[in-house]
Structure formats: C-alpha cells, structure tokens
Amino acid sequence: MPPVSPTELTQVSRNCSFGGWQMVYRHASAVLNCEMNVGVYLPPQAETQPCPVLYWLSGLTCTEQNFITKAGAQSYAAQHGLIVVAPDTSPRGCNLPGEDDNWDFGSGAGFYLNATQQPWAQHYHMYDYVVDELPGAIAANFPIKPGYQSISGHSMGGFGAVMIALKNPGRYKSVSAFSPILTPAQVQWGQNAFSKYLGNDSDLWDAYDPMYLIKAALERLPILIDQGEADSFLETQLQPHVFAQVCETLQHPLMLRMQPNYDHSYYFIASFMGDHLAHHAQALAG
Amino acid sequence: MPPVSPTELTQVSRNCSFGGWQMVYRHASAVLNCEMNVGVYLPPQAETQPCPVLYWLSGLTCTEQNFITKAGAQSYAAQHGLIVVAPDTSPRGCNLPGEDDNWDFGSGAGFYLNATQQPWAQHYHMYDYVVDELPGAIAANFPIKPGYQSISGHSMGGFGAVMIALKNPGRYKSVSAFSPILTPAQVQWGQNAFSKYLGNDSDLWDAYDPMYLIKAALERLPILIDQGEADSFLETQLQPHVFAQVCETLQHPLMLRMQPNYDHSYYFIASFMGDHLAHHAQALAG
C-alpha cells in the first residue's frame, strides 16, 4: 500500500454552523507517525473567496471536540470570514508505555513541542505538526489566503500559541491566549512535561519557554491574553504576572486582561472569544 | 429526617459566563420522587433587578449539560437580561425496570408528560415538574419578574415547549422550538413513548398532542419554529409541514423557518439561538 499523504483528509463529520461548515477531518500525520483528528470551520465567505486562517490550540485533556462544541467561535468566524483550524492535542493510540496513564502528560498533553526522549520522540512532534505539516494540509485542501494566519489557544494551548508565535517571527499576523501556561520551567505541569519529553537538562527547555523566548524575540508582535482571576491554576501553573513583568522590562507589547470571577473553563473562553476573533480579524485584514 | 422541599437548591457548579453566572443546582423533586439537576443562567442584570425567565426543554438523551455547554445561549441571555432555566430531561436513578435500556424511552426521554402507566407513573411526571414545581423553585430562589416567562426547546423538548404552551394559555409570553416533534401520535418516537407512558388507548394521547391541542387552543400565541432541512429525522419523526397545514387551516400564527443544510445538532441550535432569544426578549419586555 502506498504511503498516505498528510494532505489527504478524510471527512469524519460535517455540520452546518452559522452559514458555514464545522468539519472534522482525519489524516495520516507523517511527523506524528499516527492518525490525527482536526476540526476545520469554513465560514460562508470560504465558498467564494480565499480566507485567512486562525489556528486554535486546545488545553490538557482536550480533543478537537472541546473547542468546536463549546467555545462558540463559529459565530464570530462567520462574521469575520475566518477559517478556524483546531487540531487534537497530542498523538493518540501509539501504544507507548504509559501514554494514557496521566491527564497532564502523554495522550491529550502533547505540549506542542518536539520530544527528544524515548519513547515519546517516535511520535510526539506536535511543534512540527502545528507549525508545518498541518498548515500544509490546510493549504492543500482549502481556499486560504496565503500568508494570512494567526494563532490562539487555551492553557497548554495558550502556551503553545505564545511559544510558537515567538519562535516564528513573521509567520503569524497576531497571537492571543486564554489562561496560558507562561512559565513552564517554573511550574509542575511544565516541569513534568519538559523533563519527560526533553530530558532533565533544563537548558534544553529554553527552546520552548516563553520566559526565554520573549527575550530573544525578533519582532514585537503584540500578545493578547485573557486570564480569569478565579482560575484555580492561576498562581500554581499559569503565572501571567511573572511573564508580564518580563514583557514590561523588555517593552514587549502585552495586553494582559485579568477578568474578575472567571475560571479556567470554556464558559470563560466563550465569554471573550468574540474579542479574540475581532483582534485576529483586524490583524488579518488587508 | 424531614422531607426536603423542592425549593431547596444545592449548588452543583458555578461558572462565570458573559458577565453572569451559569449555575447547576440539584434539588429533591416531589412530583418526580427523585433528585433532579437543573441549569440556571443568571444574567448580569439579575444582580440588580427582577428578570424574565426562559425555560428550555432539551431533547432525547440530553441532561441539563448539553444546552448549557453547547447552545451559546448565555451571550444572548446576558444581552437581553433573561434568566434561562434548563432542566434535565427525565427522572433518573429510580431503579425502574428497563429505565436505562433505550435512548428514546425512560431515562433521558421523559417527554414532558405525566405518565399514568406502571411503573413510570411513580416518577415520570415531567409535565407537572416543568409547568409547576420547577417554576415554584425558581421563583423561591431567584429575582424573577412574576408572570414574565417563556418556553423553548429542541426535538422532544421542542414538542414539550409547544405542547405546554398550548395547554397553558396566558402562562407563557412566547414559545419557540428547534426541530420539534409535532405529530407524536403519528411517529415512532411519540407512539412508543405515549403508549408506554399513557397506555395503548390513543384517545388519551390527545391531551399531549400538538396536532390536537392546536385545534383547542384558547389563545393564538405565535409559534416560532426553526427546522433544518438536512435533519435526518425531519420526515420520520418531526413532520413540521403536517403541523403547519393545520395551523394554516386554523389561522394559528406559525413562523416555520426551514433552514437549508442544517441538521438536528447543537450546531444548528447555536446558529439560530440569537434569533430565538431576541424573539422571547421582545415578548417578555415591558
């Protein structure tokens, strides 16, 4: 059997939504060495013209389903004419020892990096998947406006969005995040993932650490962050104030909006999704 | 232990949403003879003033969760200042023989009627629950604007909303439905439920049949219905055209909007939730 190209998408589901289509596809990822699900929202505008693309990276435990069913993004994507691409959060079904044992590591917790440690290095290359392979598959299948893409995400995916934008100057027109993990080398979620995926030498973690990357940033792309003040992970895992301090020192533009009463859930995300999609639509216009 | 009043609500969860609060409560229903979960969205306006209430009745297989996580109603409820109450769809955990055996009967499928047949008659009185007991609990706990309530729902719950509005003239300011079951006595879902809950004498089904109730309607409350044309249940279980024909003959005001490409899912519901909440808000104003 000839190898299947990652650009060959198989339709899993198709639902009309706000005049466009919420699709879920499955494809054979070469860099992840497994099959992956990805949600793609095609706004009504995509029927007649090329559209910019927003990549959404989900958080720990999520599949492609959480965002597409709970975030309410389709309404705003239809309004602004944005294609929204929401991949799964890790390789799955790879039969790696312990891959399903923990909710904050392995399946559902790929952390958007390229693992170097065994056995994860055989599959866990979510960085390459999100930055290169998936955009290639999207470009091959949908009417995208080349060069017009942005990135956002939640929690682990907010970390992914900020980290990927910082590592790839010029590639994204805008970046935003909800409740991102901003100091991964200093918190349990990040330390656990980085040590197992990248090894115990913490110097090697810098390549994926927003606290390091912000200092090396080659462009001053403004970062929009919404963070709930009632988020139970705020101080232990997320630490936006620590990141904000560095941004201030570096004069890197950061719009950190602390939102009273909001928690870590999709109720929070949905409440400010309109603001984020407007932010991206403005950057992607023209 | 003294009996617990149905008006005593225990908080299950609480999430800030669009400036208000999406709550889930649990309470001891006397008419259902079991504990029930109910979602209550409190808009920001409820902190300072009485608000009208919209009751939402969900469809087969749903709990109180489907609507509150997937419909995107909170955005519009916050905009219009509506309290939105979304109960579970049946008694649960009653240890009745076969209660969990079928997705279209028993648990998750209470059909918003008062069962007369054993063993269901001991618990399955969703009609009394939705029409009387639940509104009493809501009135006892939240700043409602007395007399200002409306009702809506999806599929089995759309049937429930239309049926309950028709049976209770003057009680609801407006009624709407997504993909409702409108001819229950003529389709498998309805025949199965009515025969088991109400017995085989189909004359007894008229009391809950919109096709009968519309003829006996004492008020001409306009009915707003959205129906997806790509809904796989359209002809077999829902039959809005049959109901529309009767409404036309009777000159009962019906706004039946057939929506091309839309299916039976919450993607469809979310797409037109804004229209429905605007419809109810207008009727509930003043």
Side-chain angles (χ1 to χ4, degrees):
Chain A
M1 208 169 70
V4 177
S5 161
T7 62
E8 285 183 29
L9 305 182
T10 302
Q11 182 183 306
V12 173
S13 65
R14 175 176 184 269
N15 299 92
C16 192
S17 171
F18 289 94
W21 293 95
Q22 180 60 60
M23 312 294 297
V24 174
Y25 296 99
R26 194 162 176 80
H27 69 140
S29 165
V31 298
L32 301 177
N33 195 19
C34 71
E35 294 212 327
M36 289 290 282
N37 279 4
V38 55
V40 179
Y41 179 71
L42 298 170
Q45 295 87 339
E47 290 186 17
T48 54
Q49 65 193 61
C51 292
V53 181
L54 175 67
Y55 287 88
W56 172 269
L57 306 181
S58 295
L60 291 168
T61 77
C62 289
T63 69
E64 85 288 348
Q65 287 293 317
N66 304 64
F67 173 77
I68 68 176
T69 57
K70 295 182 175 181
Q74 295 92 349
S75 164
Y76 313 109
Q79 179 187 333
H80 297 297
L82 301 177
I83 294 172
V84 184
V85 176
D88 199 353
T89 55
S90 76
R92 292 187 192 267
C94 298
N95 294 316
L96 302 179
E99 67 182 0
D100 297 329
D101 289 358
N102 298 289
W103 64 269
D104 60 355
F105 183 77
S107 298
F111 270 86
Y112 305 105
L113 48 70
N114 291 334
T116 57
Q117 302 300 296
Q118 295 305 332
W120 314 104
Q122 303 163 45
H123 295 278
Y124 280 67
H125 286 184
M126 285 296 288
Y127 180 85
D128 285 347
Y129 178 69
V130 168
V131 173
D132 288 320
E133 189 182 64
L134 181 58
I138 297 299
N141 286 277
F142 303 105
I144 67 157
K145 197 172 163 189
Y148 286 80
Q149 59 181 11
S150 292
I151 193 162
S152 185
H154 174 235
S155 196
M156 173 183 74
F159 153 75
V162 171
M163 176 268 287
I164 285 172
L166 288 172
K167 284 174 75 77
N168 293 277
R171 193 179 287 240
Y172 300 93
K173 297 287 189 193
S174 51
V175 58
S176 77
F178 294 82
S179 355
I181 303 168
L182 288 165
T183 62
Q186 302 173 35
V187 301
Q188 190 270 332
W189 282 347
Q191 290 166 346
N192 179 57
F194 282 11
S195 62
K196 292 179 184 166
Y197 288 135
L198 302 172
N200 287 324
D201 180 354
S202 62
D203 283 348
L204 298 173
W205 303 358
D206 289 348
Y208 299 104
D209 186 345
M211 289 291 285
Y212 177 88
L213 295 168
I214 194 77
K215 295 174 189 164
L218 294 176
E219 64 170 355
R220 296 198 176 273
L221 189 66
I223 303 172
L224 169 62
I225 293 178
D226 272 307
Q227 172 62 56
E229 290 187 351
D231 186 330
S232 58
F233 303 117
L234 174 55
E235 295 305 329
T236 53
Q237 307 290 352
L238 308 175
Q239 305 192 329
H241 295 298
V242 177
F243 184 72
Q245 184 68 56
V246 176
C247 288
E248 195 180 336
T249 303
L250 299 168
Q251 295 186 293
H252 192 111
L254 171 71
M255 293 159 284
L256 171 59
R257 311 194 310 182
M258 298 301 295
Q259 304 287 4
N261 295 322
Y262 285 93
D263 59 27
H264 201 67
S265 71
Y266 266 91
Y267 291 109
F268 165 57
I269 297 171
S271 298
F272 298 99
M273 186 54 67
D275 289 356
H276 284 240
L277 262 61
H279 170 78
H280 293 296
Q282 187 174 28
L284 291 164
Chain B
M1 207 169 69
V4 177
S5 161
T7 62
E8 285 183 29
L9 304 182
T10 303
Q11 182 182 308
V12 174
S13 65
R14 178 176 184 268
N15 299 92
C16 192
S17 170
F18 288 94
W21 293 96
Q22 179 61 59
M23 312 295 296
V24 174
Y25 296 99
R26 193 162 176 81
H27 69 142
S29 166
V31 299
L32 301 177
N33 195 18
C34 71
E35 295 213 325
M36 289 290 283
N37 279 6
V38 55
V40 179
Y41 180 71
L42 298 169
Q45 294 87 339
E47 290 186 17
T48 53
Q49 66 193 62
C51 293
V53 180
L54 175 67
Y55 287 88
W56 172 269
L57 306 182
S58 294
L60 290 168
T61 76
C62 288
T63 69
E64 84 289 348
Q65 287 292 318
N66 303 64
F67 173 78
I68 67 176
T69 57
K70 296 182 174 182
Q74 295 92 349
S75 164
Y76 312 110
Q79 179 188 334
H80 297 297
L82 301 177
I83 294 173
V84 184
V85 177
D88 198 354
T89 55
S90 76
R92 293 187 192 267
C94 298
N95 294 316
L96 302 179
E99 67 182 359
D100 297 329
D101 289 358
N102 298 290
W103 64 270
D104 59 355
F105 183 77
S107 298
F111 271 86
Y112 305 104
L113 49 70
N114 291 334
T116 56
Q117 302 299 297
Q118 295 305 333
W120 314 104
Q122 303 164 45
H123 295 278
Y124 280 67
H125 286 185
M126 286 295 289
Y127 180 85
D128 284 347
Y129 178 69
V130 167
V131 173
D132 289 320
E133 189 182 64
L134 181 58
I138 297 300
N141 286 278
F142 304 104
I144 68 157
K145 195 173 164 188
Y148 286 79
Q149 60 180 12
S150 293
I151 194 163
S152 184
H154 173 234
S155 196
M156 173 183 75
F159 153 73
V162 171
M163 176 268 287
I164 286 172
L166 289 172
K167 283 174 78 75
N168 294 277
R171 191 179 289 239
Y172 300 94
K173 297 287 189 193
S174 50
V175 57
S176 78
F178 294 82
S179 356
I181 303 168
L182 289 166
T183 62
Q186 301 173 35
V187 301
Q188 190 271 331
W189 282 347
Q191 290 166 347
N192 179 55
F194 282 11
S195 61
K196 291 179 184 165
Y197 288 136
L198 302 173
N200 288 323
D201 180 355
S202 61
D203 283 347
L204 298 173
W205 302 358
D206 289 348
Y208 299 104
D209 186 346
M211 290 290 286
Y212 178 88
L213 295 168
I214 193 78
K215 295 174 189 163
L218 294 176
E219 65 169 356
R220 297 199 175 274
L221 189 65
I223 304 172
L224 169 62
I225 293 178
D226 272 307
Q227 172 63 57
E229 290 187 350
D231 185 331
S232 58
F233 302 116
L234 174 55
E235 296 304 328
T236 54
Q237 309 289 353
L238 308 176
Q239 304 191 329
H241 294 299
V242 177
F243 184 72
Q245 183 68 56
V246 176
C247 288
E248 194 181 336
T249 301
L250 299 168
Q251 295 186 292
H252 191 111
L254 170 72
M255 294 159 282
L256 171 60
R257 311 194 310 181
M258 299 300 296
Q259 304 288 4
N261 295 322
Y262 285 94
D263 58 26
H264 201 67
S265 72
Y266 265 91
Y267 291 108
F268 164 57
I269 297 171
S271 298
F272 298 99
M273 186 54 67
D275 290 355
H276 283 240
L277 263 62
H279 170 78
H280 293 294
Q282 188 174 27
L284 291 164

